[in-house]
Amino acid sequence: MFVHDENSKKKRLSHIAFIMDGNGRWAKKRGLPREAGHTEGAKTFMRVAEYCFAGGIDTVTIYAFSTENWKRPPHEVKAIMTLFASYLKRGIKEMTERNMHVTFLGDKAPFDPDTRELMERIERESAKNRYKLNIAVNYGGRAEIVNAVNRLASKGITEFSEELIESELYTAGQRDPDLIVRSAGELRLSNFLTWQSVYSEFHFTDTLWPDFGESDVDAAVDAYYSRTRRFGGVV
């Protein structure tokens, strides 16, 4: 289990975000359909979130499905959506048992009415739980910023500040991620938390997401605490 560095409140790791990558490659290596990789990846995300919360991290954000992921083969998208729906159906009970407050980051409009209703119900009924779990689904960082500006404009606001824009982001009221972890060896953000990541630390690993485990979380946390965070200043 990783150990927090309590010497600096400024540096304490409170919010960790994960870009889950490598599900398809994991399945291909085993001669399985890509859908099998997504099923294993979904199991991994819950194990990783629980491990982070057990270690004292307050907020975990998971990049589950981007606005660009709709371009994938229809059968793969359908399988992902079916998997997502199955998790939603048992989500309220599981989130209560795990003391997780779930927020879905992204545009809910493309989902069918039953799915949207389940998402909103989970958000509402888990709101008093201790640990914050953000699931980014149909999410794009640029789209989030555009949406925030449009919402402000609809209120008649014509001059924008950082504080105003942040108030309309999907993550309004939350702390920005201290650390963003990406699996499977890719070295990019892929339109994830574009606004919120400006001072995040990054950790990249070759581990494919379904294989991601406690030791991978430990390595990411250790890397975070080995760095000096200046936020544009001098330490």
Side-chain angles (χ1 to χ4, degrees):
M1 171 66 71
F2 56 83
V3 178
H4 282 297
D5 181 347
E6 300 293 351
N7 295 325
S8 171
K9 290 183 180 179
K10 185 176 181 180
K11 189 175 180 180
R12 186 184 183 282
L13 178 52
S14 174
H15 182 178
I16 184 169
F18 295 93
I19 301 175
M20 306 185 296
D21 202 4
N23 290 340
R25 277 170 278 175
W26 182 92
K28 184 177 180 181
K29 284 176 62 176
R30 290 160 177 77
L32 300 171
R34 290 176 60 86
E35 294 85 341
H38 295 305
T39 299
E40 288 302 313
K43 297 175 184 177
T44 298
F45 115 74
M46 188 55 71
R47 288 197 301 269
V48 167
E50 288 183 310
Y51 183 67
C52 291
F53 292 139
I57 291 173
D58 302 309
T59 304
V60 173
T61 298
I62 299 288
Y63 200 11
F65 192 83
S66 76
T67 49
E68 290 77 25
N69 286 155
W70 296 105
K71 301 173 185 176
R72 292 187 176 188
H75 65 87
E76 183 177 348
V77 171
K78 182 179 180 181
I80 293 171
M81 290 299 110
T82 300
L83 181 63
F84 180 55
S86 71
Y87 268 80
L88 289 177
K89 288 174 183 176
R90 62 177 188 268
I92 295 174
K93 181 175 183 291
E94 290 190 355
M95 295 309 115
T96 299
E97 290 174 349
R98 294 179 167 95
N99 204 18
M100 295 180 186
H101 173 198
V102 179
T103 299
F104 295 100
L105 311 182
D107 181 8
K108 297 183 181 74
F111 297 103
D112 65 76
D114 288 343
T115 299
R116 288 199 304 272
E117 183 180 346
L118 272 173
M119 293 167 76
E120 291 165 0
R121 183 183 173 194
I122 289 171
E123 289 179 324
R124 185 172 61 252
E125 296 191 12
S126 69
K128 294 183 180 179
N129 292 343
R130 164 69 176 83
Y131 299 106
K132 186 73 175 175
L133 175 62
N134 296 317
I135 302 175
V137 59
N138 192 36
Y139 173 88
R142 289 182 175 179
E144 178 181 26
I145 296 169
V146 171
N147 176 70
V149 173
N150 284 335
R151 284 174 62 87
L152 292 169
S154 71
K155 299 175 183 179
I157 297 171
T158 57
E159 292 189 15
F160 309 102
S161 65
E162 289 187 15
E163 290 75 19
L164 277 173
I165 292 173
E166 286 177 351
S167 73
E168 294 293 346
L169 295 176
Y170 298 127
T171 55
Q174 296 189 34
R175 174 173 171 155
D176 290 341
D178 303 298
L179 174 65
I180 296 177
V181 180
R182 181 163 189 161
S183 59
E186 303 297 345
L187 308 177
R188 57 181 177 271
L189 267 178
S190 296
N191 203 16
F192 182 53
L193 300 180
T194 307
W195 180 282
Q196 300 89 336
S197 64
V198 290
Y199 279 111
S200 301
E201 299 295 326
F202 294 89
H203 178 77
F204 300 101
T205 174
D206 290 332
T207 304
L208 301 178
W209 181 253
D211 292 327
F212 203 89
E214 295 178 358
S215 62
D216 297 288
V217 177
D218 292 347
V221 173
D222 288 345
Y224 171 82
Y225 281 120
S226 73
R227 301 174 189 175
T228 300
R229 307 193 78 195
R230 297 183 177 86
F231 299 93
V234 176
V235 177

